[in-house]
């Protein structure tokens, strides 16, 4: 990633932190994406450079939004015959235009390994002595980062921005009135199929897809489709496969290539796990995180990452056909 070093350091000064394209319609600001709803059956998603962990927005990473948007576009295209999705077009490196859907009130988390650092992770629960996680019984004697007997679906509630998600079982979600049984089962079928495909593709690239989160929504016709993103470094955990066994035998954590680097830096440096305001992330950590995002994009897609270093607000406005002054003030 040395070829990007100068560009990444320059980009630290002008990340795409937020947008203000009010001509696009009603705005909803998520942890990472700014969504605009024009009211014409579309949703316009702009992937910013914001980074979140422990359900907290931590700051920005150079070109992160471009990597996320383009990697999600790659996976949506690769899996469109496996599961329907919401994508209509990708008119800009940071922008996806999608069908407007009603999001299901749950996140569908697939896990294949006993790992994680957040309070909702399967490892933290197992470490506390829990042997039933989201309705799945776990055997005794497993080690941290060890492969589970089989991949399992561990849903979570969807917290509002600033809140914390909670891992729950299918029965709990249904009892809460969050989702209907038939909708859950269809979404679960999609999640299992996508995860199996993602694991195979990652293995072909020398990686392990450890776990991932899917968001699904319902179209006006009542169809369940995949929304938001698939298998990105934000929604997924990836490890290098070539030295997994050796590192496990030596009692070392697997080498990761995702935003777990940022989570681990916060935990190791400050003991921070999402309580209170986050500590500032230094520039060298932001740049290293950007390198990892770019690397996984290139490894997974087999394509070189080609960052667009134009001023992002004006570029997005042009690509969406908006007036030149649109969105000014949204570029931080």
């Amino acid at each position: 990633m040395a070829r990007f070093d100068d560009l990444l350091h320059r980009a630290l000064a002008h990340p795409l932190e937020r947008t203000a394209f009010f001509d696009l319609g009603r705005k909803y600001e998520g942890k990472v994406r700014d969504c605009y709803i024009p009211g014409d059956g579309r949703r316009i998603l702009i992937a910013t450079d914001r980074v979140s962990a422990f359900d907290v927005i931590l700051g920005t990473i150079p070109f992160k939004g471009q990597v996320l948007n383009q990697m999600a576009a790659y996976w949506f295209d690769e899996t469109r015959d496996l599961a329907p999705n919401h994508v209509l077009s990708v008119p800009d490196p940071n922008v996806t235009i999608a069908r407007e859907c009603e999001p299901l009130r749950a996140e569908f988390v697939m896990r294949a390994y006993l790992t994680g650092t957040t309070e909702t992770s399967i490892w933290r629960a197992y470490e506390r002595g829990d042997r039933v996680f989201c309705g799945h019984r776990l055997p005794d004697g497993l080690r941290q980062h060890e492969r589970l007997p089989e991949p399992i679906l561990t849903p979570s509630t969807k917290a509002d921005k600033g809140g914390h998600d909670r891992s729950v079982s299918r029965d709990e979600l249904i009892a809460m009135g969050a989702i209907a049984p038939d909708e859950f089962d269809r979404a679960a079928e999609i999640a299992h199929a996508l995860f199996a495909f993602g694991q195979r593709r990652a293995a072909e690239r020398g990686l392990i897809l450890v776990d991932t989160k899917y968001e699904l929504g319902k179209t006006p016709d009542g169809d369940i489709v995949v929304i938001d993103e698939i298998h990105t470094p934000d929604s997924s955990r990836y490890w290098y496969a070539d030295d997994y066994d050796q590192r496990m035998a030596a009692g070392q954590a697997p080498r990761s290539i995702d935003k777990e680097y940022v989570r681990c830096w916060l935990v190791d440096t400050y003991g921070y796990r999402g309580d209170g305001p986050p500590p500032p992330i230094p520039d060298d950590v932001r740049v290293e995180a950007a390198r990892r995002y770019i690397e996984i994009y290139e490894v997974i897609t087999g394509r070189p990452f080609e960052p667009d270093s134009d001023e992002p607000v004006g570029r997005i406005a042009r690509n969406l056909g908006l007036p030149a002054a649109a969105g000014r003030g949204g570029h931080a």
Side-chain angles (χ1 to χ4, degrees), residues 24-302:
L24 291 177
R26 180 165 55 91
K27 179 185 177 184
Y28 167 76
E29 188 173 292
K31 296 186 183 79
V32 172
R33 286 170 176 79
D34 288 353
C35 299
Y36 294 87
I37 304 173
D40 60 0
R42 299 180 303 154
R43 175 176 289 233
I44 300 169
L45 300 94
I46 301 178
T48 72
D49 293 331
R50 297 191 297 265
V51 61
S52 72
F54 309 110
D55 295 315
V56 176
I57 296 173
L58 306 169
T60 60
I61 293 174
F63 297 113
K64 176 176 176 286
Q66 293 190 33
V67 171
L68 285 189
N69 194 59
Q70 293 176 65
M71 191 164 177
Y74 165 83
W75 282 110
F76 277 127
D77 188 57
E78 290 291 297
T79 60
R80 67 175 57 256
D81 293 335
L82 193 63
N85 64 64
H86 69 163
V87 176
L88 296 174
S89 64
V90 183
D92 180 272
N94 288 83
V95 180
T96 292
I97 297 178
R99 285 184 292 170
E100 175 64 359
C101 300
E102 178 187 353
L104 299 186
R105 292 170 55 199
E107 293 179 341
F108 292 79
V109 182
M110 291 295 304
R111 304 179 191 268
Y113 289 78
L114 189 69
T115 192
T117 55
T118 68
E119 289 302 319
T120 59
S121 73
I122 191 171
W123 166 246
R124 297 277 288 175
Y126 194 87
E127 189 180 33
R128 291 191 299 265
D130 296 351
R131 291 298 179 268
V132 176
F133 189 78
C134 297
H136 300 280
R137 183 160 296 280
L138 304 173
D140 289 325
L142 295 178
R143 295 180 298 152
Q144 186 178 16
H145 310 308
E146 189 172 347
R147 188 182 184 105
L148 296 171
E150 62 182 9
I152 58 175
L153 174 61
T154 62
S156 75
T157 58
K158 291 182 70 169
D160 294 330
K161 189 170 65 172
H164 293 283
D165 300 335
R166 183 168 61 91
S167 296
V168 291
S169 68
R170 174 187 184 275
D171 292 344
E172 288 175 299
L173 272 178
I174 293 170
M176 291 162 52
I179 192 169
D182 60 332
E183 291 177 348
F184 181 94
D185 293 341
R186 174 55 181 150
E189 179 184 10
I190 290 173
H192 278 280
L194 289 175
F195 191 61
F197 180 88
Q199 285 193 302
R200 290 194 300 272
R201 178 60 54 86
E204 292 167 1
R205 305 293 199 259
L207 299 175
I208 297 170
L209 177 58
V210 180
D211 49 40
T212 196
K213 174 183 71 177
Y214 301 110
E215 298 213 33
L216 295 105
K218 190 161 54 173
T219 69
D221 295 331
D223 296 327
I224 304 297
V225 304
V226 190
I227 63 174
D228 195 49
E229 61 184 351
I230 304 180
H231 301 161
T232 72
D234 266 16
S235 65
S236 311
R237 196 187 319 265
Y238 288 93
W239 293 334
Y240 292 97
D242 59 354
D243 59 357
Y244 169 78
D245 290 336
Q246 297 93 309
R247 294 182 71 88
M248 285 293 290
Q252 299 173 332
R255 286 191 302 139
S256 66
I257 179 174
D258 50 51
K259 79 170 181 181
E260 187 69 5
Y261 165 74
V262 178
R263 289 193 194 99
C264 290
W265 181 86
L266 288 166
V267 171
D268 294 344
T269 307
Y270 292 101
Y272 182 78
R273 295 183 184 274
D275 296 321
I281 302 177
D283 287 352
D284 63 327
V285 174
R286 294 169 65 198
V287 167
E288 176 58 26
R291 291 191 194 104
R292 291 171 183 240
Y293 273 81
I294 292 169
E295 181 180 358
I296 194 165
Y297 171 86
E298 295 189 334
V299 170
I300 287 291
T301 68

Side-chain angles (χ1 to χ4, degrees), residues 1-12 62-63 66-67 286-288 290-298 303-309:
M1 293 299 108
R3 71 185 190 279
F4 290 113
D5 281 0
D6 289 344
L7 183 61
L8 292 174
H9 280 92
R10 292 197 304 272
L12 288 169
F63 297 113
Q66 293 190 33
V67 171
R286 294 169 65 198
V287 167
E288 176 58 26
R291 291 191 194 104
R292 291 171 183 240
Y293 273 81
I294 292 169
E295 181 180 358
I296 194 165
Y297 171 86
E298 295 189 334
R303 307 167 183 167
F305 178 65
E306 298 177 356
D308 191 324
S309 57

